[in-house]
Amino acid sequence: GAVVSQHPSWVICKSGTSVKIECRSLDFQATTMFWYRQFPKQSLMLMATSNEGSKATYEQGVEKDKFLINHASLTLSTLTVTSAHPEDSSFYICSATLPTFSYNEQFFGPGTRLTVL
Amino acid sequence: AQTVTQSQPEMSVQEAETVTLSCTYDTSESDYYLFWYKQPPSRQMILVIRQEAYKQQNATENRFSVNFQKAAKSFSLKISDSQLGDAAMYFCAYFGAAGNKLTFGGGTRVLVKP
């Protein structure tokens, strides 16, 4: 099956620093990657949609200058949390799509837990 | 915008018994897909079952089946012969061709009692 990896699986950083999270599709080329944020005991909230070679599309209320997304290749997308603050602490999940039949099935990465001190 | 509602924050079921999770959605689209995802304590999202809106037949995957009522915009998940490994958060999700993105419900936590 299609596998999506994320690195790192967890990260702790100091307030004011930037953190980069990688999302890779290991055995397929993903046309689109998605970034989600999940707070404890809550659902997944879509942050942005990323297409290879073009600018990401951010959901309403998500600061594009705060959460920088780069989709440099068909197998790699990165999310950089700039000038992180404790309120940015969360679980970040990426997914990648594989065009299948009439819809784009999404395959999810294992997530990255970010803690900002 | 599409919305997905799961009205049951938590459900408890005895091992080997059956539990049904509710999901309703709101959409003006005629062509869409509905999903149930499982998120165990590892937090890895796992696709449980998928339903295409144009198909009247309810989808089934082993012990998991859905009751899809298109007119009522209802999409419930039935877990039969519940096992300890079924304990997890379950999310209902909607994918419409127009939006090209998944919209998730708030989730239902399933507890399985041995």
Side-chain angles (χ1 to χ4, degrees):
Chain A
V3 179
V4 176
S5 71
Q6 280 184 242
H7 178 79
S9 55
W10 59 270
V11 57
I12 302 173
C13 69
K14 293 182 178 180
S15 185
T17 61
S18 294
V19 175
K20 180 184 287 188
I21 301 170
E22 292 186 349
C23 176
R24 293 181 184 272
S25 56
L26 298 185
D27 50 2
F28 67 99
Q29 293 185 325
T31 53
T32 305
M33 289 183 172
F34 301 86
W35 286 96
Y36 298 86
R37 184 174 184 177
Q38 185 179 31
F39 289 108
K41 298 185 179 181
Q42 293 189 25
S43 187
L44 282 71
M45 297 298 296
L46 180 66
M47 300 174 65
T49 302
S50 170
N51 291 293
E52 184 265 340
S54 61
K55 291 184 179 180
T57 301
Y58 290 81
E59 294 299 300
Q60 191 172 11
V62 177
E63 300 175 60
K64 59 182 65 178
D65 294 332
K66 174 77 170 175
F67 299 99
L68 299 179
I69 293 173
N70 183 278
H71 196 157
S73 75
L74 285 172
T75 59
L76 173 64
S77 176
T78 59
L79 168 67
T80 301
V81 183
T82 62
S83 187
H85 291 283
E87 57 266 30
D88 298 324
S89 298
S90 189
F91 194 68
Y92 293 89
I93 303 173
C94 74
S95 71
T97 58
L98 176 65
T100 306
F101 302 112
S102 57
Y103 73 100
N104 295 331
E105 183 171 354
Q106 289 193 29
F107 298 89
F108 288 84
T112 297
R113 182 180 302 280
L114 169 63
T115 302
V116 184
L117 302 177
Chain B
Q2 288 77 24
T3 58
V4 179
T5 302
Q6 293 179 247
S7 59
Q8 306 151 316
E10 186 174 289
M11 293 288 284
S12 183
V13 61
Q14 203 71 33
E15 194 176 6
E17 297 296 310
T18 296
V19 63
T20 299
L21 310 183
S22 301
C23 173
T24 58
Y25 57 95
D26 185 27
T27 185
S28 58
E29 297 179 292
S30 59
D31 187 19
Y32 53 88
Y33 299 84
L34 297 164
F35 304 86
W36 279 99
Y37 282 92
K38 172 185 179 181
Q39 188 180 42
S42 68
R43 305 191 78 169
Q44 172 72 58
M45 296 291 285
I46 302 167
L47 176 65
V48 174
I49 201 164
R50 174 181 66 239
Q51 175 78 44
E52 292 88 341
Y54 64 86
K55 289 187 177 180
Q56 291 186 333
Q57 187 173 5
N58 290 321
T60 299
E61 287 288 342
N62 300 314
R63 298 181 295 106
F64 299 88
S65 62
V66 299
N67 184 359
F68 173 48
Q69 300 292 325
K70 190 172 184 179
K73 296 181 182 176
S74 171
F75 183 60
S76 62
L77 174 70
K78 184 171 77 172
I79 306 175
S80 304
D81 185 25
S82 297
Q83 300 176 359
L84 295 177
D86 295 333
M89 282 291 292
Y90 286 80
F91 294 100
C92 178
Y94 171 100
F95 180 90
N100 196 31
K101 61 183 181 181
L102 276 173
T103 300
F104 286 91
T108 297
R109 179 173 300 280
V110 172
L111 305 173
V112 181
K113 297 180 179 179

